[in-house]
């Protein structure tokens, strides 16, 4: 497993060597911007519209926009004054029940790889098993690429996973809802309850995009799809009520078919057997 950061987990007097490795990788298709006339990739230039010329890297400086078109110049020395001290340790601040952490705070997932030495792996395995048995997770902080990160360490199968977390100030305020709306929403949710199997879901846009590119490569003409009709604005309560009614209707239809099937089965079982010739 290729690690992008190596350090340790520390809490109290315990120090566990680990490596940080990406747990996810997007498979989106990337495009380059080309000059239509010759198919050459376009290069992005640093251009100043006021002086109407390209600028070199040593002429660039960071700016914090405080109003439309108004900036505060920020020098590298200013950033160094508040720079975080480089640390190779994930400091655990507390242990919390895993189910208390709302997944809405999850940002990105990493795996924590144990050290190769047997002696260093022992505390890693001990922490992993203890977390599994107690249902607890660890909240900590660490510095990655010059930025402070809040994180959650949790057991994931035979390894520890690290989730970088959004801070509370990063979260948008929630919208208040009415009790009748909430009750109808619960009924709709209950009607669609099932088990989560990630293999059942596919990125359909990505599949169709690849198919389109393969067709263009083969010289096929791509048909332009018909425009979709505009989605009408509907009342939330009305939509929820209709959703619940549809579910109840589907259930009633299914129950009716099941009863009819059972009735026919009983009638066949009661019918006298034909006499053999």
């Amino acid at each position: 497993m290729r690690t992008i950061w190596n350090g340790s987990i520390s809490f109290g007097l315990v120090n566990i060597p680990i490596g940080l490795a990406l747990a996810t990788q997007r498979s989106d298709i990337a495009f380059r911007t080309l000059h239509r006339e010759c198919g050459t990739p376009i290069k992005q230039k640093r251009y100043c519209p006021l002086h109407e010329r390209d600028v070199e890297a040593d002429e660039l400086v960071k700016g914090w926009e405080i109003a439309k078109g108004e900036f505060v110049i920020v020098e590298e020395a200013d950033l160094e004054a508040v720079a975080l001290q480089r640390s190779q340790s994930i400091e655990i601040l507390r242990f919390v029940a895993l189910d208390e952490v709302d997944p809405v705070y999850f940002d990105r997932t990493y795996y924590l790889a144990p050290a190769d030495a047997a002696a260093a792996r022992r505390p890693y395995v001990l922490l992993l098993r203890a977390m599994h048995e107690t249902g607890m997770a660890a909240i900590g902080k660490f510095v990655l690429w010059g930025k402070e990160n809040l994180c959650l360490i949790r057991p994931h199968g035979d390894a520890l996973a690290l989730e970088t977390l959004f801070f509370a100030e990063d979260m948008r305020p929630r919208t208040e809802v009415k009790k009748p709306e909430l009750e109808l929403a619960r009924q709709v949710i209950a009607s669609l309850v099932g088990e989560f199997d990630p293999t059942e879901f596919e990125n359909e846009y990505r599949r169709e995009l690849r198919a389109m590119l393969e067709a263009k490569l083969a010289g096929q003409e791509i048909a332009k799809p018909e425009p979709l009709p505009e989605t009408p604005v509907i009342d939330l309560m009305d939509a929820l009520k209709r959703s619940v009614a549809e579910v109840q209707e589907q259930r009633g239809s299914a129950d009716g078919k099941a009863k009819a099937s059972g009735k026919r089965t009983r009638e066949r079982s009661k019918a006298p057997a034909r006499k053999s010739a």
Side-chain angles (χ1 to χ4, degrees), residues 48-73:
C48 176
L50 178 63
H51 292 91
E52 299 183 339
R53 67 177 179 86
D54 296 339
V55 295
E56 301 298 328
D58 59 1
E59 299 180 79
L60 302 178
V61 67
K62 290 182 174 62
W64 174 41
E65 190 169 16
I66 55 174
K68 184 68 174 180
E70 296 182 22
F71 300 88
V72 173
I73 301 299

Side-chain angles (χ1 to χ4, degrees), residues 53-184:
R53 67 177 179 86
D54 296 339
V55 295
E56 301 298 328
D58 59 1
E59 299 180 79
L60 302 178
V61 67
K62 290 182 174 62
W64 174 41
E65 190 169 16
I66 55 174
K68 184 68 174 180
E70 296 182 22
F71 300 88
V72 173
I73 301 299
V74 181
E75 303 289 351
E76 290 299 324
D78 300 324
L79 295 175
E80 289 174 3
V82 295
L84 294 165
Q85 293 295 321
R86 182 177 173 83
S87 171
Q88 293 300 113
S89 175
I90 301 172
E91 181 186 0
I92 291 180
L93 305 175
R94 69 186 58 177
F95 287 91
V96 300
L98 181 56
D99 57 9
E100 287 184 4
V101 184
D102 193 328
V104 72
Y105 285 94
F106 290 4
D107 180 16
R108 193 166 188 181
T109 306
Y110 298 86
Y111 289 130
L112 294 179
D116 294 330
R121 290 177 63 90
R122 183 175 177 81
Y124 178 98
V125 174
L126 181 63
L127 179 61
L128 173 63
R129 289 183 179 176
M131 283 184 161
H132 265 304
E133 292 181 4
T134 60
M136 303 297 283
I139 300 293
K141 283 186 177 182
F142 73 110
V143 178
L144 178 64
W145 297 318
K147 295 183 179 179
E148 184 179 49
N149 291 269
L150 184 66
C151 68
L152 176 138
I153 299 173
R154 62 182 177 88
H156 181 70
D158 296 331
L160 290 172
L162 180 144
E163 307 279 352
T164 52
L165 301 176
F166 291 107
F167 286 92
E169 63 184 290
D170 299 326
M171 307 305 295
R172 293 182 176 179
R174 299 179 181 179
T175 303
E176 295 295 324
V177 296
K178 298 176 182 178
K179 284 188 176 180
E181 294 174 339
L182 186 59
E183 181 57 34
L184 285 171

